Amino acid sequence: MSEYFNIKELVCPDVYNKFGDQAWMFIDHRLIETLDIIREKILCKPMVINNWAAGGSYTQRGLRCNICQLVKSKTDIGRIYLSAHNFGKAIDATVQGMTAQEARNLIIKNQVLLPYPIRLEDGVSWLHLDVYDMNKGKVYLFKV
């Protein structure tokens, strides 16, 4: 469990509706620990991941199940889709009062505080982070 995020923020509505609070079992413990440290010690600002439970439009910024549109659309055309989001190892977020690039820069600057290696997607207007380990240091920047 997270100090700063509830499970509805980390999973799609379909997963929550089926599993409720038991959906924590699908979220990688390294992601939870990393998110809490980034929120508390690095960014020090609220982060919005999924907000569907509060009436918002974000539904696929955490765990994505097989019937989420982003995943299903790839399956329907026969494409493999092995995003870290499918495995409870990734989030996309917006950070209150900060651009995605500012957030990435702060995380990189303070990477010594990270408990595990992470990947950050570069060049996008949201903060994507995941706990796939590329064996290339604490922070690995990638572009899709």
Side-chain angles (χ1 to χ4, degrees), residues 112-141:
V112 67
L113 298 174
L114 296 171
Y116 305 99
I118 64 168
R119 295 186 329 152
L120 296 173
E121 187 173 357
D122 199 16
V124 292
S125 62
W126 60 89
L127 177 65
H128 167 96
L129 76 87
D130 65 55
V131 292
Y132 276 171
D133 187 353
M134 302 299 291
N135 293 315
K136 298 192 183 249
K138 274 287 182 103
V139 177
Y140 177 79
L141 288 172

Side-chain angles (χ1 to χ4, degrees), residues 89-101:
K89 297 175 184 289
I91 59 94
D92 294 333
T94 48
V95 182
Q96 184 178 39
M98 190 177 289
T99 68
Q101 190 58 52

Side-chain angles (χ1 to χ4, degrees), residues 17-139:
N17 289 337
K18 181 164 176 75
F19 296 97
D21 287 340
Q22 289 183 335
W24 281 109
M25 70 180 156
F26 302 118
I27 307 298
D28 190 301
H29 71 92
R30 296 170 302 164
L31 179 64
I32 297 166
E33 189 176 339
T34 300
L35 278 175
D36 280 349
I37 286 172
I38 287 172
R39 166 62 180 84
E40 179 179 345
K41 297 183 177 179
I42 297 177
L43 300 179
C44 305
K45 293 183 182 282
M47 299 166 63
V48 175
I49 302 171
N50 285 331
N51 60 4
W52 58 266
S57 61
Y58 297 133
T59 62
Q60 298 180 61
R61 296 176 95 197
L63 177 71
R64 297 174 187 157
C65 74
N66 63 308
I67 60 175
C68 284
Q69 189 55 43
L70 282 170
V71 180
K72 188 176 179 322
S73 66
K74 305 289 190 225
T75 303
D76 287 347
I77 61 171
R79 290 192 53 202
I80 292 175
Y81 186 72
L82 296 174
S83 168
H85 288 277
N86 298 52
F87 303 102
K89 297 175 184 289
I91 59 94
D92 294 333
T94 48
V95 182
Q96 184 178 39
M98 190 177 289
T99 68
Q101 190 58 52
E102 289 169 335
R104 283 189 288 275
N105 290 344
L106 261 179
I107 293 168
I108 292 166
K109 179 180 175 186
N110 294 286
Q111 63 186 285
V112 67
L113 298 174
L114 296 171
Y116 305 99
I118 64 168
R119 295 186 329 152
L120 296 173
E121 187 173 357
D122 199 16
V124 292
S125 62
W126 60 89
L127 177 65
H128 167 96
L129 76 87
D130 65 55
V131 292
Y132 276 171
D133 187 353
M134 302 299 291
N135 293 315
K136 298 192 183 249
K138 274 287 182 103
V139 177

